[in-house]
Amino acid sequence: QKEVEQDPGPLSVPEGAIVSLNCTYSNSAFQYFMWYRQYSRKGPELLMYTYSSGNKEDGRFTAQVDKSSKYISLFIRDSQPSDSATYLCAMSLSNDYKLSFGAGTTVTVRA
Amino acid sequence: EAGVVQSPRYKIIEKKQPVAFWCNPISGHNTLYWYRQNLGQGPELLIRYENEEAVDDSQLPKDRFSAERLKGVDSTLKIQPAELGDSAVYLCASSLPGQGINGYTFGSGTRLTVV
Protein backbone atom coordinates (compact mmCIF):
# COMPACT_ATOMS: atom_id res chain seq x y z
CA GLN A 1 0.00 0.00 0.00
CA LYS A 2 1.33 3.44 -0.93
CA GLU A 3 1.86 6.02 1.77
CA VAL A 4 -0.28 8.57 -0.09
CA GLU A 5 -3.29 7.59 -2.20
CA GLN A 6 -4.99 10.02 -4.54
CA ASP A 7 -8.28 9.71 -6.41
CA PRO A 8 -7.06 8.74 -9.90
CA GLY A 9 -9.41 10.67 -12.16
CA PRO A 10 -9.30 11.98 -14.80
CA LEU A 11 -11.91 14.64 -14.16
CA SER A 12 -13.65 16.64 -16.87
CA VAL A 13 -15.90 19.50 -15.77
CA PRO A 14 -17.62 22.45 -17.46
CA GLU A 15 -16.29 25.94 -16.89
CA GLY A 16 -17.62 27.42 -13.65
CA ALA A 17 -18.06 24.07 -11.90
CA ILE A 18 -16.59 23.18 -8.52
CA VAL A 19 -13.70 20.72 -8.69
CA SER A 20 -13.13 18.43 -5.72
CA LEU A 21 -9.84 16.56 -5.31
CA ASN A 22 -9.00 14.13 -2.51
CA CYS A 23 -6.10 12.23 -0.97
CA THR A 24 -5.75 9.78 1.91
CA TYR A 25 -2.57 8.84 3.71
CA SER A 26 -1.33 6.24 6.13
CA ASN A 27 1.50 7.96 8.03
CA SER A 28 0.00 9.81 11.00
CA ALA A 29 3.32 11.64 11.51
CA PHE A 30 2.77 13.86 8.47
CA GLN A 31 2.49 17.49 9.58
CA TYR A 32 2.56 19.48 6.33
CA PHE A 33 0.05 19.01 3.55
CA MET A 34 0.49 20.52 0.12
CA TRP A 35 -1.25 20.76 -3.22
CA TYR A 36 0.81 21.18 -6.35
CA ARG A 37 -0.34 21.96 -9.88
CA GLN A 38 1.59 20.50 -12.79
CA TYR A 39 1.03 21.61 -16.36
CA SER A 40 2.07 19.33 -19.18
CA ARG A 41 5.87 19.21 -19.68
CA LYS A 42 6.44 21.37 -16.61
CA GLY A 43 7.55 20.80 -13.03
CA PRO A 44 5.08 20.92 -10.12
CA GLU A 45 4.31 24.35 -8.67
CA LEU A 46 3.04 24.87 -5.14
CA LEU A 47 -0.60 25.99 -4.91
CA MET A 48 -1.24 25.81 -1.18
CA TYR A 49 0.14 24.26 1.95
CA THR A 50 -1.40 23.67 5.37
CA TYR A 51 0.18 22.84 8.67
CA SER A 52 -1.76 20.24 10.68
CA SER A 53 -5.57 20.10 10.52
CA GLY A 54 -7.94 22.80 9.35
CA ASN A 55 -9.02 24.78 6.34
CA LYS A 56 -7.15 27.32 4.25
CA GLU A 57 -8.59 29.52 1.54
CA ASP A 58 -6.75 31.37 -1.22
CA GLY A 59 -8.96 33.00 -3.82
CA ARG A 60 -10.86 30.26 -5.64
CA PHE A 61 -8.92 27.49 -3.90
CA THR A 62 -9.75 25.89 -0.54
CA ALA A 63 -7.63 23.21 1.12
CA GLN A 64 -8.96 21.04 3.93
CA VAL A 65 -7.04 18.69 6.20
CA ASP A 66 -8.65 16.17 8.54
CA LYS A 67 -5.83 14.45 10.43
CA SER A 68 -8.22 12.28 12.43
CA SER A 69 -9.41 10.68 9.19
CA LYS A 70 -6.04 11.03 7.40
CA TYR A 71 -7.86 12.78 4.57
CA ILE A 72 -7.14 15.98 2.65
CA SER A 73 -9.11 17.80 -0.02
CA LEU A 74 -8.71 20.64 -2.48
CA PHE A 75 -11.71 22.52 -3.87
CA ILE A 76 -11.54 24.80 -6.90
CA ARG A 77 -14.51 27.15 -7.22
CA ASP A 78 -15.60 28.78 -10.47
CA SER A 79 -13.18 26.61 -12.42
CA GLN A 80 -11.54 28.07 -15.52
CA PRO A 81 -10.01 26.40 -18.61
CA SER A 82 -6.63 27.65 -17.32
CA ASP A 83 -7.12 25.35 -14.28
CA SER A 84 -6.73 22.35 -16.59
CA ALA A 85 -3.68 20.52 -15.24
CA THR A 86 -2.61 17.59 -13.08
CA TYR A 87 -3.04 18.23 -9.35
CA LEU A 88 -0.72 16.44 -6.94
CA CYS A 89 -1.16 16.18 -3.21
CA ALA A 90 2.03 15.97 -1.17
CA MET A 91 2.90 15.54 2.47
CA SER A 92 5.93 16.03 4.66
CA LEU A 93 7.06 15.14 8.14
CA SER A 94 8.62 18.54 8.70
CA ASN A 95 9.03 21.92 7.08
CA ASP A 96 12.27 21.08 5.36
CA TYR A 97 12.16 17.46 4.42
CA LYS A 98 11.32 15.21 1.51
CA LEU A 99 7.86 15.33 0.00
CA SER A 100 5.68 12.23 -0.37
CA PHE A 101 3.41 12.69 -3.38
CA GLY A 102 0.15 11.18 -4.52
CA ALA A 103 -0.08 9.93 -8.10
CA GLY A 104 -1.96 13.01 -9.30
CA THR A 105 -5.41 13.73 -10.73
CA THR A 106 -5.70 15.21 -14.21
CA VAL A 107 -8.41 17.85 -14.47
CA THR A 108 -9.85 19.25 -17.70
CA VAL A 109 -12.12 22.29 -17.54
CA ARG A 110 -14.22 22.59 -20.69
CA ALA A 111 -15.01 26.07 -22.01
CA GLU B 1 15.05 35.17 -11.73
CA ALA B 2 15.58 32.20 -14.05
CA GLY B 3 14.22 29.53 -11.73
CA VAL B 4 15.64 26.03 -11.56
CA VAL B 5 17.22 25.22 -14.91
CA GLN B 6 17.58 21.64 -16.13
CA SER B 7 19.14 20.23 -19.25
CA PRO B 8 18.64 18.50 -21.53
CA ARG B 9 14.84 18.70 -21.69
CA TYR B 10 14.58 15.41 -23.53
CA LYS B 11 16.92 12.46 -23.95
CA ILE B 12 16.50 9.19 -25.83
CA ILE B 13 19.14 6.52 -25.35
CA GLU B 14 19.53 2.81 -25.91
CA LYS B 15 19.57 0.53 -22.90
CA LYS B 16 22.97 -0.10 -21.34
CA GLN B 17 24.18 3.35 -22.42
CA PRO B 18 25.18 6.03 -19.88
CA VAL B 19 23.26 9.29 -19.48
CA ALA B 20 23.70 12.43 -17.40
CA PHE B 21 21.34 15.20 -16.35
CA TRP B 22 22.34 18.67 -15.22
CA CYS B 23 20.64 21.04 -12.79
CA ASN B 24 21.34 24.68 -11.98
CA PRO B 25 19.35 25.70 -8.87
CA ILE B 26 18.08 29.15 -8.00
CA SER B 27 20.95 31.37 -6.90
CA GLY B 28 21.54 31.10 -3.18
CA HIS B 29 19.47 27.96 -2.70
CA ASN B 30 21.64 25.69 -0.59
CA THR B 31 19.31 22.70 -0.63
CA LEU B 32 18.96 20.70 -3.85
CA TYR B 33 16.78 17.67 -4.56
CA TRP B 34 16.58 15.16 -7.37
CA TYR B 35 13.19 13.48 -7.86
CA ARG B 36 12.07 10.86 -10.37
CA GLN B 37 8.53 10.95 -11.75
CA ASN B 38 7.31 7.82 -13.53
CA LEU B 39 4.45 8.13 -15.99
CA GLY B 40 1.17 8.64 -14.18
CA GLN B 41 2.84 8.84 -10.78
CA GLY B 42 3.95 11.52 -8.36
CA PRO B 43 7.62 12.44 -7.98
CA GLU B 44 9.77 10.32 -5.65
CA LEU B 45 12.88 11.64 -3.94
CA LEU B 46 16.20 10.19 -5.10
CA ILE B 47 18.70 12.38 -3.26
CA ARG B 48 18.89 15.59 -1.24
CA TYR B 49 21.92 17.87 -0.91
CA GLU B 50 22.73 20.49 1.67
CA ASN B 51 25.47 22.48 -0.05
CA GLU B 52 27.96 19.83 -1.26
CA GLU B 53 26.85 17.14 1.17
CA ALA B 54 24.37 14.42 0.23
CA VAL B 55 22.29 14.28 3.42
CA ASP B 56 19.70 11.79 2.19
CA ASP B 57 20.50 9.33 -0.60
CA SER B 58 18.61 6.37 0.83
CA GLN B 59 16.34 6.11 -2.24
CA LEU B 60 19.12 6.38 -4.83
CA PRO B 61 19.81 3.04 -6.59
CA LYS B 62 23.53 3.16 -6.02
CA ASP B 63 24.42 0.26 -8.29
CA ARG B 64 23.73 2.37 -11.37
CA PHE B 65 22.91 5.90 -10.22
CA SER B 66 25.37 8.52 -9.01
CA ALA B 67 25.11 12.21 -8.26
CA GLU B 68 27.42 15.04 -7.44
CA ARG B 69 27.15 18.68 -6.47
CA LEU B 70 30.50 20.32 -6.82
CA LYS B 71 31.00 23.67 -5.06
CA GLY B 72 27.47 23.44 -3.69
CA VAL B 73 25.83 24.93 -6.79
CA ASP B 74 25.17 22.89 -9.96
CA SER B 75 24.42 19.20 -9.73
CA THR B 76 24.69 16.25 -12.08
CA LEU B 77 22.75 13.00 -11.89
CA LYS B 78 24.16 10.06 -13.83
CA ILE B 79 22.83 6.64 -14.77
CA GLN B 80 25.21 3.95 -15.99
CA PRO B 81 24.13 1.66 -17.51
CA ALA B 82 20.53 2.74 -18.21
CA GLU B 83 17.72 0.18 -18.14
CA LEU B 84 14.29 0.28 -19.77
CA GLY B 85 12.68 0.90 -16.36
CA ASP B 86 14.65 4.13 -15.96
CA SER B 87 12.38 5.87 -18.47
CA ALA B 88 10.86 8.73 -16.48
CA VAL B 89 11.03 12.47 -15.89
CA TYR B 90 13.91 13.50 -13.64
CA LEU B 91 13.07 16.64 -11.69
CA CYS B 92 15.45 18.90 -9.83
CA ALA B 93 14.23 21.20 -7.06
CA SER B 94 15.91 23.68 -4.75
CA SER B 95 15.07 25.62 -1.62
CA LEU B 96 16.60 28.00 0.89
CA PRO B 97 17.31 26.73 4.40
CA GLY B 98 14.53 27.89 6.65
CA GLN B 99 12.12 28.60 3.80
CA GLY B 100 11.03 25.00 3.83
CA ILE B 101 8.10 23.94 1.75
CA ASN B 102 7.05 27.45 0.83
CA GLY B 103 10.31 28.03 -0.99
CA TYR B 104 10.53 24.68 -2.78
CA THR B 105 10.90 25.29 -6.52
CA PHE B 106 10.96 22.59 -9.19
CA GLY B 107 12.58 22.71 -12.59
CA SER B 108 10.78 21.54 -15.74
CA GLY B 109 12.60 18.23 -15.68
CA THR B 110 14.48 15.99 -18.12
CA ARG B 111 12.32 13.42 -19.87
CA LEU B 112 14.37 10.25 -20.37
CA THR B 113 13.32 7.50 -22.75
CA VAL B 114 15.35 4.29 -22.76
CA VAL B 115 14.78 2.09 -25.81
Side-chain angles (χ1 to χ4, degrees), chain B residues 1-7 21-34 49-52 68-76 91-97 103-108:
Chain B
E1 192 172 71
V4 177
V5 179
Q6 292 188 245
S7 68
F21 315 124
W22 175 81
C23 173
N24 178 235
I26 292 174
S27 178
H29 280 200
N30 298 342
T31 306
L32 184 146
Y33 310 79
W34 283 102
Y49 281 93
E50 294 289 346
N51 298 304
E52 302 91 349
E68 61 182 10
R69 191 183 185 198
L70 300 177
K71 301 181 181 179
V73 181
D74 295 358
S75 179
T76 303
L91 293 162
C92 180
S94 68
S95 67
L96 274 172
Y104 223 103
T105 303
F106 282 88
S108 293

Side-chain angles (χ1 to χ4, degrees), chain B residues 31-92:
Chain B
T31 306
L32 184 146
Y33 310 79
W34 283 102
Y35 280 81
R36 176 170 59 188
Q37 186 173 21
N38 292 314
L39 185 65
Q41 301 296 315
E44 294 180 327
L45 181 70
L46 290 174
I47 189 168
R48 172 188 173 208
Y49 281 93
E50 294 289 346
N51 298 304
E52 302 91 349
E53 184 182 359
V55 296
D56 183 357
D57 64 356
S58 57
Q59 302 302 311
L60 190 72
K62 297 181 183 61
D63 56 337
R64 298 183 300 107
F65 285 65
S66 65
E68 61 182 10
R69 191 183 185 198
L70 300 177
K71 301 181 181 179
V73 181
D74 295 358
S75 179
T76 303
L77 179 68
K78 298 178 182 177
I79 309 175
Q80 183 171 9
E83 297 179 351
L84 295 177
D86 296 330
S87 296
V89 175
Y90 291 83
L91 293 162
C92 180

Side-chain angles (χ1 to χ4, degrees), chain A residues 8-29:
Chain A
L11 291 179
S12 179
V13 301
E15 184 174 357
I18 295 175
V19 176
S20 174
L21 303 166
N22 306 295
C23 288
T24 58
Y25 61 95
S26 56
N27 189 345
S28 58

Side-chain angles (χ1 to χ4, degrees), chain A residues 39-60:
Chain A
Y39 291 115
S40 181
R41 311 290 184 184
K42 296 292 187 182
E45 57 176 333
L46 180 65
L47 270 178
M48 300 180 69
Y49 82 95
T50 307
Y51 173 72
S52 195
S53 283
N55 296 353
K56 188 172 184 178
E57 189 171 317
D58 184 2
R60 297 184 295 111

